[in-house]
């Protein structure tokens, strides 16, 4: 396998920081990079209420999709009502919108989120949860209430199959040169990025843009189960987080 980089953008919604998202779009367009955008369909998180409601938000999302950006379902309302994220399938943080909640509540979130997306003409094939945290009930909810079978998250060096889902690992919160072959997703939150962050991204893309592909460019038809190396990598990563006391 060759080395490929992907970019994921979190927390797009009608009250996002429009100026920073425009800046991100300009940087990515400059190097012809097609990211995945996670849309919060019904944002109720005060931290994501930055600008006034953009009445043209969904038209903007449609333009992103038309130029090759991948649109994903990013939870439902982005509110953390659970403290059981560390007991989920990707134990990065304690707070979660999904992990630990009853199945019926998670089904409602997925059902309502998908309905809003469809109302605006979007039929997402990808999902990732706020704070990266989800559990088996989340997968059941996705299976019952949507056609989504691909998730952007977990730790590994390449996509792998987990039951009837494909996991596309999300490796880092910033761009970095990887020393091994694989598929590496760099996750950004444009709403909270500063000038230095945008400059670092531009500098990295200037040198490494040839390694970037879009999520829809991945061949996920013959994905295998998680390799022993990636199982060890994941175990080591989460063990180190526990030792550091990250919550």
């Amino acid at each position: 396998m060759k080395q490929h980089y992907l970019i994921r953008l979190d927390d797009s919604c009608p009250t996002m920081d429009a100026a920073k998202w425009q800046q991100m779009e300009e940087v990515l367009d400059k190097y012809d990079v097609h990211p995945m955008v996670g849309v919060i369909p019904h944002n109720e998180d005060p931290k994501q209420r930055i600008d006034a409601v953009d009445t043209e938000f969904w038209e903007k999302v449609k333009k992103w999709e038309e130029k090759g950006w991948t649109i994903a379902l990013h939870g439902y309302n982005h509110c953390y009502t659970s403290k059981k994220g560390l007991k989920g399938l990707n134990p990065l943080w304690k707070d979660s919108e999904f992990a630990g909640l009853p199945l019926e509540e998670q089904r409602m979130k997925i059902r309502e989120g998908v309905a809003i997306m469809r109302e605006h003409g979007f039929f997402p094939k990808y999902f990732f949860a706020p704070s990266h945290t989800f559990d088996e009930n989340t997968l059941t909810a996705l299976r019952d209430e949507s056609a989504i079978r691909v998730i952007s998250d977990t730790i590994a060096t390449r996509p792998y199959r987990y039951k009837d889902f494909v996991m596309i690992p999300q490796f880092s919160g910033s761009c970095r040169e990887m020393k091994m072959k694989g598929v590496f997703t760099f996750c950004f939150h444009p709403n909270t990025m500063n000038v230095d962050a945008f400059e670092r991204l531009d500098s990295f893309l200037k040198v490494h843009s040839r390694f970037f592909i879009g999520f829809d460019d991945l061949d996920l038809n013959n994905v295998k189960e998680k390799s022993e190396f990636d199982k060890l990598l994941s175990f080591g990563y989460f063990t180190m987080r526990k030792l550091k006391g990250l919550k």
Side-chain angles (χ1 to χ4, degrees):
M1 173 180 282
K2 297 180 180 179
Q3 187 179 75
H4 293 303
Y5 297 155
L6 299 160
I7 283 185
R8 193 183 97 183
L9 307 179
D10 290 28
D11 304 336
S12 175
C13 65
T15 54
M16 65 191 184
D17 189 319
K20 289 184 178 180
W21 276 84
Q22 179 62 34
Q23 187 173 358
M24 173 62 78
E25 185 172 358
E26 291 172 358
V27 172
L28 297 182
D29 284 352
K30 179 178 177 181
Y31 299 102
D32 196 29
V33 173
H34 296 169
M36 174 187 286
V37 178
V39 174
I40 308 169
H42 183 66
N43 177 56
E44 294 181 306
D45 181 355
K47 293 183 179 179
Q48 308 305 328
R49 292 173 179 166
I50 302 165
D51 283 357
V53 174
D54 181 359
T55 58
E56 298 182 354
F57 169 74
W58 292 104
E59 287 77 8
K60 184 177 296 183
V61 178
K62 177 57 67 175
K63 290 179 181 178
W64 291 339
E65 185 179 61
E66 288 172 350
K67 65 180 180 181
W69 292 22
T70 299
I71 308 303
L73 178 67
H74 184 37
Y76 172 59
N77 62 8
H78 211 275
C79 292
Y80 302 132
T81 57
S82 169
K83 298 291 184 182
K84 297 182 179 180
L86 294 177
K87 296 185 179 182
L89 294 173
N90 195 47
L92 273 172
W93 306 106
K94 179 171 63 176
D95 293 339
S96 182
E97 182 185 343
F98 287 89
L101 294 186
L103 174 59
E104 285 307 312
E105 188 172 347
Q106 296 204 42
R107 288 184 62 182
M108 180 279 294
K109 286 175 174 284
I110 299 300
R111 181 170 59 252
E112 295 297 326
V114 168
I116 292 171
M117 297 287 280
R118 288 177 176 171
E119 178 184 344
H120 292 284
F122 299 96
F123 301 86
K125 299 184 297 182
Y126 303 85
F127 171 85
F128 58 91
S131 201
H132 309 269
T133 49
F134 60 98
D135 60 13
E136 292 285 354
N137 276 346
T138 317
L139 301 187
T140 300
L142 287 167
R143 192 182 298 113
D144 291 347
E145 304 292 344
S146 79
I148 296 172
R149 297 295 183 271
V150 185
I151 292 175
S152 167
D153 253 324
T154 70
I155 301 298
T157 60
R158 61 196 64 196
Y160 64 92
R161 186 166 296 281
Y162 178 77
K163 298 183 178 179
D164 52 343
F165 285 84
V166 171
M167 305 292 185
I168 303 176
Q170 191 275 298
F171 207 81
S172 173
S174 62
C175 289
R176 61 183 66 183
E177 187 174 357
M178 307 306 296
K179 302 299 183 181
M180 64 184 82
K181 294 181 180 180
V183 176
F184 303 99
T185 302
F186 304 132
C187 173
F188 290 89
H189 296 76
N191 290 330
T192 60
M193 289 174 65
N194 57 27
V195 173
D196 288 343
F198 281 110
E199 290 180 349
R200 289 194 300 271
L201 173 60
D202 189 286
S203 297
F204 189 89
L205 292 176
K206 184 176 182 180
V207 176
H208 300 92
S209 62
R210 68 187 184 280
F211 293 106
F212 283 84
I213 62 172
F215 281 79
D216 290 338
D217 295 324
L218 292 169
D219 182 2
L220 303 179
N221 292 318
N222 298 302
V223 175
K224 299 179 181 179
E225 293 185 354
K226 198 171 191 177
S227 69
E228 293 303 317
F229 174 81
D230 281 342
K231 290 179 182 178
L232 183 61
L233 176 69
S234 180
F235 175 80
Y237 177 84
F238 288 118
T239 298
M240 287 189 65
R241 288 184 66 84
K242 289 181 180 179
L243 292 174
K244 291 179 179 178
L246 295 176
K247 298 180 181 181

